[in-house]
Amino acid sequence: MKKWGFVFASAVLILTTQNSVAADWQETNIQFLHGDSYKTPTGKEISQSVITLEHASSWAYGSNFFFIDISNPDTEDETSFYGEISPGFSLKKMGLLELSEESGPSDVLLQLNYEFPQGPAKRAALAGVNFVWKNLGFDFLSTQFLFRDTLGLDGHTGQLTLAWLKRFGSEAWPLEFSGFIDWAGAEATSHENIHTQPNLLLDFSRKTARKVPLKLGIEWKYWKNKYGIDGLEESVPQAKLVWIF
């Protein structure tokens, strides 16, 4: 199982790196977050700062998404990290699927994902289908239906992921509401869990025609049964700054 997980992660990383070279578009940002009520695996509340490196791009046959979080508790010297690599292969771009121009999905992708955490969370490999929707009032909306295999645990489960982006406001106050919701089923000793991080940000990049490539606002992080630990609930309002480059 460990060998299979290493092979899966290596393949995903190679595909992501190669595909980014010929990207139709790409955006990379660094995010700075701070909150006061994160939960440790023992249930202790701590304050900490998080730095996130995030990259998204589109290429001839699909899309790429990658991020890594580096967390540093305010009262301890130890740091930890959590990362995901998520390439998708578009059935529409590859000419395997024709979609209506009126409504419904704008694309359907074969989606891969590899999670590589440090700490009590375990590495996981996921694969499934990603529907990207149009004409539903969002600038971006996707729903992913995934097979999930947590490495080191017996069995497997499913995961549903919803991701969205909605821009609104005025020229003086260009705002955006974005985020995701993950639901993962129970798997061996890991309990069913729900993880969501909605954001409300003021987009200085839109306000200044990208002369000030910053976004500033708040994020709410909620995780029921964090790390799959029964009864471990985290609810954290976070200050958030995004620098786009």
Side-chain angles (χ1 to χ4, degrees):
M1 181 64 74
K2 291 183 178 179
K3 182 178 179 181
W4 182 87
F6 176 78
V7 171
F8 184 93
S10 300
V12 169
L13 181 59
I14 290 170
L15 288 168
T16 302
T17 304
Q18 289 181 339
N19 295 345
S20 295
V21 174
D24 298 329
W25 63 264
Q26 56 184 324
E27 180 177 292
T28 305
N29 66 68
I30 293 180
Q31 304 174 14
F32 302 89
L33 302 101
H34 184 84
D36 292 327
S37 50
Y38 298 91
K39 290 288 186 67
T40 68
T42 61
K44 177 184 176 183
E45 279 197 2
I46 60 171
S47 62
Q48 69 178 8
S49 299
V50 181
I51 298 176
T52 299
L53 174 65
E54 183 181 81
H55 170 84
S57 61
S58 174
W59 64 295
Y61 297 112
S63 63
N64 297 308
F65 181 72
F66 165 86
F67 78 89
I68 185 165
D69 292 336
I70 301 173
S71 303
N72 183 30
D74 293 344
T75 57
E76 301 175 15
D77 294 329
E78 294 183 0
T79 60
S80 61
F81 69 83
Y82 175 88
E84 292 188 17
I85 305 170
S86 304
F89 299 90
S90 166
L91 300 182
K92 179 180 178 180
K93 289 184 175 181
M94 291 188 291
L96 300 176
L97 185 65
E98 293 187 6
L99 297 169
S100 169
E101 297 295 329
E102 300 296 328
S103 60
S106 61
D107 205 353
V108 179
L109 300 96
L110 301 179
Q111 192 72 43
L112 300 176
N113 189 43
Y114 187 74
E115 302 175 357
F116 50 100
Q118 179 187 30
K122 297 181 180 295
R123 291 171 295 150
L126 300 91
V129 182
N130 181 6
F131 294 89
V132 181
W133 302 92
K134 61 186 175 185
N135 299 331
L136 293 178
F138 289 83
D139 294 279
F140 174 79
L141 181 66
S142 79
T143 51
Q144 300 181 20
F145 302 87
L146 304 169
F147 168 92
R148 180 183 179 89
D149 184 14
T150 302
L151 309 183
L153 294 181
D154 293 332
H156 51 77
T157 188
Q159 178 170 311
L160 304 179
T161 295
L162 171 69
W164 71 88
L165 168 65
K166 173 64 177 178
R167 297 186 179 96
F168 62 101
S170 62
E171 291 185 4
W173 292 93
L175 300 169
E176 70 174 45
F177 177 56
S178 61
F180 71 86
I181 300 174
D182 286 337
W183 169 87
E187 184 179 5
T189 57
S190 178
H191 289 261
E192 174 187 12
N193 62 91
I194 299 173
H195 185 194
T196 182
Q197 291 183 213
N199 306 265
L200 181 61
L201 303 174
L202 176 61
D203 189 349
F204 290 97
S205 180
R206 283 165 55 200
K207 182 181 177 69
T208 63
R210 298 186 69 87
K211 293 178 181 178
V212 182
L214 296 175
K215 299 178 183 181
L216 178 64
I218 58 173
E219 176 178 283
W220 177 51
K221 177 181 174 67
Y222 175 75
W223 198 345
K224 180 181 179 181
N225 293 340
K226 184 178 181 180
Y227 303 130
I229 299 173
D230 188 28
L232 184 60
E233 186 174 48
E234 181 176 76
S235 180
V236 189
Q238 305 174 101
K240 183 170 185 176
L241 173 67
V242 181
W243 174 38
I244 306 164
F245 59 93

